[in-house]
Amino acid sequence: MANVAEFGNEDFDVVGWVNKLCAQKRGSNEETLDKFLSEMEMRLQLSAEEIEASLHDSSNQALRRIPFAVQEIYRLQGDIQGMQDRVKATSQQVAIDARESNSSVANIAQLDMVKRNVQSASSTLAEATELSSLFVKVEEVFAAGDLAVVASMLSSMRRSLSLVGDVPEFREGRETLRTLEDRLQSMVEGQLSEALTLSGNLRSTVSSSGAPGVGETEPQVDPAAVDDRVRTLCGLLMAVGRYGVIEQQFVASRMVMATRMWQALLQQHAQQQQQQQQAPM
């Protein structure tokens, strides 16, 4: 008999299968065709009975497994519901923690603002204390004639005044500071003018050596020392924000030097013309 799996094909052809069996029987004369077909029919019936019994057993087993499968489904549904409940509870707890965290962050931010304000107030008080002390000491430093210390003190006073703002006790401090800066400027301005003029004369001596009327300076003066003196005096004025005074003094000193050089050139040119006129033709 053919393999039972052959009957499981969706395109199984009954007529073709029977004809195939008959064709195989024609090649053998041991038994008649009727007997052969009868035997095949009996075998098919037995096979059908076996298949039916197998189906019955399989169905019974499937039916017995259904209650367990249903219970497993209910168990899984319960687990899923439990997980959903836990996720929901966790989500609610996270929301509560988030609200509490926001409140804590707000409190921390408030404390930080308080801390910064306290530090700012403390710094302002320190600057006010230092400013009061500087206003008292500045006259002593002026009397001592230490202009570098005076410039440093005035610079600190300007910074402190910008920090204390409109504190009533220091409302007149800006005008007082401006008066002190004018006083320092008057003490430095003349010295800077002399130093710039001396520096210009030294440079004109180097660039116009031998020209009459130019570079009349003492040879023992060190140009590097003069330049250091100029830088020091400029630094004093820059400390109190008097940049315009430095520019004015520099331009004035260079104008004097340029005027002298121009006069020297004119004098030299006039001498050359006089010599040409006196030369024999």
Side-chain angles (χ1 to χ4, degrees):
M1 181 179 176
N3 191 354
V4 178
E6 184 178 357
F7 297 94
N9 296 330
E10 294 182 359
D11 55 350
F12 176 71
D13 185 6
V14 177
V15 176
W17 184 76
V18 173
N19 290 333
K20 181 180 177 182
L21 289 178
C22 293
Q24 292 176 356
K25 174 57 185 165
R26 292 190 188 99
S28 175
N29 297 323
E30 295 180 357
E31 57 183 347
T32 61
L33 181 61
D34 293 338
K35 183 179 180 180
F36 174 75
L37 293 177
S38 297
E39 291 178 356
M40 292 302 300
E41 181 183 1
M42 184 176 297
R43 291 179 181 178
L44 288 176
Q45 289 178 355
L46 293 174
S47 297
E49 291 176 358
E50 292 177 358
I51 292 172
E52 183 179 0
S54 177
L55 288 174
H56 182 73
D57 292 340
S58 298
S59 299
N60 289 335
Q61 292 177 6
L63 290 174
R64 287 194 297 270
R65 285 195 297 268
I66 286 176
F68 297 103
V70 173
Q71 291 179 0
E72 187 67 17
I73 290 173
Y74 288 153
R75 187 186 66 80
L76 290 175
Q77 288 178 344
D79 292 343
I80 293 172
Q81 184 63 42
M83 292 180 64
Q84 290 177 343
D85 293 340
R86 287 193 295 272
V87 169
K88 183 177 180 181
T90 302
S91 177
Q92 292 175 351
Q93 186 61 42
V94 169
I96 294 173
D97 293 341
R99 288 193 296 270
E100 292 177 353
S101 298
N102 291 335
S103 177
S104 299
V105 170
N107 292 334
I108 293 173
Q110 183 68 23
L111 290 175
D112 181 67
M113 183 180 68
V114 171
K115 174 187 173 183
R116 287 186 281 107
N117 290 339
V118 169
Q119 289 177 341
S120 177
S122 176
S123 299
T124 302
L125 288 175
E127 292 292 340
T129 302
E130 181 181 2
L131 184 59
S132 299
S133 175
L134 290 176
F135 273 118
V136 173
K137 294 179 180 179
V138 68
E139 288 296 337
E140 298 178 2
V141 180
F142 265 114
D146 193 343
L147 299 184
V149 177
V150 171
S152 177
M153 291 180 66
L154 295 182
S155 178
S156 298
M157 292 167 68
R158 177 182 290 273
R159 184 186 68 253
S160 298
L161 281 173
S162 66
L163 292 176
V164 297
D166 295 330
V167 176
E169 286 75 6
F170 298 105
R171 286 178 180 174
E172 298 180 357
R174 298 183 187 279
E175 187 64 29
T176 303
L177 176 62
R178 189 176 299 108
T179 301
L180 293 173
E181 291 175 347
D182 292 340
R183 184 176 171 185
L184 175 64
Q185 175 183 331
S186 64
M187 298 175 67
V188 174
E189 198 170 5
Q191 300 181 37
L192 179 60
S193 176
E194 294 177 0
L196 286 171
T197 302
L198 181 57
S199 176
N201 290 338
L202 291 173
R203 282 179 169 76
S204 65
T205 301
V206 175
S207 60
S208 305
S209 179
V214 179
E216 297 177 357
T217 57
E218 297 181 359
Q220 66 271 18
V221 177
D222 183 8
V226 175
D227 291 339
D228 289 340
R229 177 64 173 168
V230 171
R231 280 191 290 269
T232 299
L233 295 172
C234 288
L236 298 178
L237 292 174
M238 291 171 64
V240 294
R242 301 302 172 93
Y243 298 95
V245 175
I246 299 174
E247 181 180 355
Q248 294 173 0
Q249 291 296 326
F250 179 82
V251 172
S253 65
R254 292 301 182 266
M255 286 297 297
V256 172
M257 183 181 68
T259 301
R260 290 179 178 177
M261 293 180 65
W262 178 250
Q263 292 175 350
L265 290 174
L266 290 177
Q267 183 179 1
Q268 184 178 7
H269 180 67
Q271 291 177 353
Q272 290 176 353
Q273 285 184 341
Q274 184 178 4
Q275 291 175 359
Q276 291 177 357
Q277 291 175 358
Q278 294 175 357
M281 300 298 294

